[in-house]
Amino acid sequence: VELATETTNEVGFQTTGRVIRDVDADILGLVEAENRPSLVQFNTDLLKDHYKHVMLVDGNDKRGIDVAILTRKNFTIEGIRSNVDLEDASGPIFSRDCPQYEVHTPGGNIVHVLVNHFKSQSGGGGPKRKRQAKAVRDIAQKLIADGQHVVVLGDLNEGPKAGKTQAENLV
C-alpha cells in the first residue's frame, strides 16, 4: 500500500460550505465523499451543524470515493439499502454504490433518495453508465409502482446531447 498526501484547498472547502449553506437544502446528496468522519467534521466546521444526519455507505471504488447524504433535523433517515453487490450479465453494476435512503419528512411523507455517481466519460465509460442508468431506472420504477416518492440525484457523468435531457442520453 502506498499512501499519498495532498494539500487541501482551504478556499475550495470554504466556498463549497458557503454554497451548501446558501442552497439550504433539506436533503443533500454528495459525490466523491471520502468517509463519514470527514463529512461529520465538514458539517461541524464549515456548515455549523446545519445537518443533523450524515450517512455514507462504502461502495466499490478502490480509491475510497463514495456517495453520501446529509439531512436536516426533521428529515430522518429511517432506512438504508445498499445496491453495492447488484450485478447483471456483465458483472457489478455500480462503480461506487447506489444507496437507497428512506427519508421521513416533517409532513409525514417518505422519500426514497437514490444517490449516484456514475462511471466517468474517460476510458470509454459509456456502456457502464448505460448499465448503471438502467439499474437505477429499474429500482425507481419498482418504488414508483409501489406508490413511493423517489428522488434520483448525483453525478450522472453525461452532458446533454442536442435536444435530449441528461437522463434521455443515458437510457
Side-chain angles (χ1 to χ4, degrees):
V1 173
E2 182 178 323
L3 298 177
T5 60
E6 291 183 28
T7 57
T8 58
N9 180 340
E10 188 62 31
V11 173
F13 281 122
Q14 294 291 336
T15 301
T16 300
R18 186 175 62 249
V19 169
I20 290 171
R21 285 190 311 272
D22 289 349
V23 170
D24 196 29
D26 294 321
I27 299 170
L28 179 69
L30 298 172
V31 299
E32 299 203 13
E34 186 175 330
N35 57 48
R36 187 174 180 279
S38 65
L39 290 178
V40 169
Q41 183 176 357
F42 180 80
N43 183 47
T44 299
D45 295 349
L46 292 170
L47 302 179
K48 308 301 181 214
D49 289 319
H50 189 72
Y51 292 96
K52 170 76 173 160
H53 310 283
V54 177
M55 187 52 62
L56 177 145
V57 177
D58 280 332
N60 290 325
D61 191 278
K62 293 175 184 170
R63 300 164 296 170
I65 298 172
D66 297 303
V67 297
I69 189 171
L70 285 75
T71 65
R72 303 275 303 253
K73 179 181 177 184
N74 295 321
F75 291 78
T76 59
I77 301 169
E78 297 292 332
I80 303 169
R81 177 180 177 177
S82 172
N83 289 291
V84 72
D85 293 326
L86 194 61
E87 294 186 1
D88 62 12
S90 298
I93 295 172
F94 294 109
S95 305
R96 283 100 183 155
D97 189 3
C98 172
Q100 176 183 327
Y101 296 98
E102 181 182 301
V103 178
H104 290 231
T105 71
N109 292 310
I110 297 171
V111 180
H112 295 268
V113 182
L114 304 173
V115 186
N116 293 275
H117 187 182
F118 287 0
K119 173 76 175 96
S120 75
Q121 293 185 32
S122 64
K128 178 85 166 182
R129 280 193 312 283
K130 281 192 180 269
R131 291 174 49 227
Q132 291 169 336
K134 181 186 178 316
V136 171
R137 182 182 62 199
D138 291 347
I139 293 166
Q141 284 179 332
K142 286 176 187 171
L143 290 165
I144 292 167
D146 287 340
Q148 301 296 316
H149 301 288
V150 179
V151 174
V152 175
L153 57 82
D155 184 350
L156 304 182
N157 267 318
E158 184 77 26
K161 294 184 178 81
K164 292 186 175 182
T165 67
Q166 188 177 41
E168 289 171 328
N169 284 319
L170 289 170
V171 187

